[in-house]
């Protein structure tokens, strides 16, 4: 039986985020929510912020672009540093600073050619952004919140602004930011957007990708099951979320990732929350949901090599021992 031993997450801690607001004649009120350490401030233009949610811009400026998830609502892509660095704070990402220093030194010593982005890549509409070779790139994930069911065939992105789902991007951003700040293995959220109309609201969020990782469904698709060490890591990781009272409402094999080093991550915190009334029942409900997703995958793909009962037994054992 799993038991709560401590609470790692402070539910009352301030959300490490800030907002920028714009009033647009064409689409209405637009709110951008980003980390408090972000380099974005009130002087940033709407265009500079909105580009991270523009598929056309991403396809033109990024690379390794692909679409995942039901109805293609998740867009994976990589952007060069000059288009993304402001999201990493005024002091920028340490890796970017180190690489920039080295690249500029090399350019000065060897007159390495420096390319300049074209006019459409200008940061604030004032001057081109210089590009130095050797600087980091950033794999990102853009996700639009879409409707399902019959109504989703006609109205894909709009939700009633007074409904339960009106602030899905904001709520997921704030929860994921708290979890990230507490050191739990989640992707770093970078920016969320709300487009608020007279009666409806549209939501989207941009997070980092977990580098060199595959979800559990992708691992099974490679033709193998999970090692005992991997199952222990999965169970131990889930236990850290459980002791922090995190209720993941869609815990399935596609929302659990393993990277090349064997570290486990949990993603997609849409409609998830922290509960003060948390206990073994909540844990078992989430584990049962995970078990059902394993069983469904085995049935759909006819994975004869995959023993769902044994896998879940190992995961439950690791959760209880954590």
């Amino acid at each position: 039986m799993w038991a709560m031993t401590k609470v790692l997450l402070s539910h009352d801690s301030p959300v490490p985020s800030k907002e920028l607001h714009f009033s647009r004649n064409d689409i209405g009120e637009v709110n951008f929510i980003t980390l408090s350490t972000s380099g974005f401030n009130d002087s940033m233009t709407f265009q500079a912020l909105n580009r991270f949610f523009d598929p056309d811009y991403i396809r033109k400026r990024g690379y390794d672009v692909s679409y995942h998830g039901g109805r293609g609502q998740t867009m994976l892509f990589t952007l060069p540093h000059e288009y993304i660095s402001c999201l990493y704070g005024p002091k920028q990402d340490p890796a970017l600073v180190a690489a920039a220093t080295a690249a500029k030194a090399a350019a000065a010593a060897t007159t390495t050619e420096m390319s300049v982005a074209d006019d459409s890549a200008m940061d604030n509409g004032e001057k081109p952004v210089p590009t130095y070779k050797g600087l980091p790139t950033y794999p990102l994930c853009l996700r639009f919140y879409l409707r399902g069911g019959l109504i989703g065939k006609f109205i894909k992105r709009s939700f009633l602004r007074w409904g339960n789902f009106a602030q899905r991007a904001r709520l997921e951003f704030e929860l994921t930011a708290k979890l990230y700040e507490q050191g739990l293995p989640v992707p770093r959220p970078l920016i969320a957007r709300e487009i608020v109309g007279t009666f409806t609201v549209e939501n989207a969020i941009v997070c980092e990708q977990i580098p060199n990782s595959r979800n559990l469904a992708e691992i099974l698709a490679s033709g193998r099951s999970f090692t005992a060490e991997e199952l222990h890591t999965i169970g131990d990781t889930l236990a850290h979320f459980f002791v922090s009272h995190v209720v993941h409402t869609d815990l399935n094999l596609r929302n659990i990732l393993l990277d090349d080093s064997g570290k486990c991550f949990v993603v997609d915190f849409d409609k998830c929350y922290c509960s003060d009334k948390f206990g073994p029942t909540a844990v078992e409900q989430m584990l049962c949901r995970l078990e059902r997703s394993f069983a469904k995958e085995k049935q759909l793909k006819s994975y004869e090599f995959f023993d769902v009962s044994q896998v879940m037994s190992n995961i439950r054992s690791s959760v209880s021992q954590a």
Side-chain angles (χ1 to χ4, degrees), residues 107-122:
T110 63
T111 63
T112 300
E113 179 182 358
M114 183 185 77
S115 64
V116 177
D118 59 44
D119 291 346
S120 60
M122 294 180 183

Side-chain angles (χ1 to χ4, degrees), residues 3-244:
M4 291 176 290
T5 57
K6 59 181 178 177
V7 177
L8 300 179
L9 182 67
S10 174
H11 298 177
D12 298 326
S13 59
V15 177
S17 64
K18 62 182 177 182
E19 296 184 36
L20 294 96
H21 308 279
F22 297 87
S23 180
R24 304 281 300 180
N25 293 330
D26 50 350
I27 57 176
E29 299 293 325
V30 183
N31 304 321
F32 293 99
I33 303 99
T34 187
L35 295 173
S36 58
T37 54
S38 169
F40 288 137
N41 52 49
D42 291 337
S43 67
M44 299 301 295
T45 65
F46 170 83
Q47 289 76 14
L49 293 160
N50 198 56
R51 62 189 179 184
F52 299 107
F53 302 91
D54 183 350
D56 290 336
Y57 177 92
I58 291 169
R59 283 190 291 266
K60 187 175 181 180
R61 297 285 175 260
Y63 54 95
D64 294 335
V65 178
S66 62
Y67 295 85
H68 293 254
R71 306 183 300 282
Q73 76 268 31
T74 300
M75 188 176 188
L76 303 181
F77 59 96
T78 299
L79 284 179
H81 79 96
E82 64 267 26
Y83 306 136
I84 187 66
S85 57
C86 281
L87 281 174
Y88 286 81
K91 295 183 180 180
Q92 315 235 10
D93 188 321
L96 185 144
V97 173
T101 301
K104 290 178 181 179
T110 63
T111 63
T112 300
E113 179 182 358
M114 183 185 77
S115 64
V116 177
D118 59 44
D119 291 346
S120 60
M122 294 180 183
D123 188 25
N124 286 318
E126 297 176 356
K127 59 182 179 180
V129 180
T131 304
Y132 292 91
K133 295 180 179 180
L135 291 178
T137 57
Y138 296 91
L140 305 178
C141 172
L142 164 62
R143 189 170 79 255
F144 294 100
Y145 296 76
L146 305 183
R147 282 183 173 274
L150 179 62
I151 194 172
K153 297 181 181 297
F154 305 98
I155 305 174
K156 293 187 179 297
R157 296 186 184 179
S158 296
F159 297 84
L160 288 175
R161 59 180 297 182
W162 303 281
N164 294 332
F165 302 139
Q167 295 185 316
R168 287 169 67 179
R170 176 189 299 269
L171 294 175
E172 181 173 2
F173 184 94
E174 292 177 347
L175 174 59
T176 310
K178 279 187 176 183
L179 300 179
Y180 185 86
E181 287 288 310
Q182 294 290 331
L184 288 170
V186 300
R188 173 159 46 177
L190 294 178
I191 186 169
R193 184 188 70 180
E194 297 173 338
I195 300 178
V196 184
T198 304
F199 301 107
T200 63
V201 59
E202 296 182 9
N203 289 269
I205 190 171
V206 175
C207 298
E208 288 184 330
Q209 289 185 45
I210 303 299
N212 305 312
S213 66
R214 294 184 295 172
N215 65 44
L216 302 190
E218 292 170 328
I219 293 175
L220 288 175
S222 70
R224 72 170 181 89
S225 188
F226 309 104
T227 66
E229 183 178 0
E230 287 173 336
L231 294 175
H232 173 75
T233 299
I234 293 168
D236 185 69
T237 300
L238 294 179
H240 281 80
F241 287 89
F242 297 156
V243 299
S244 296

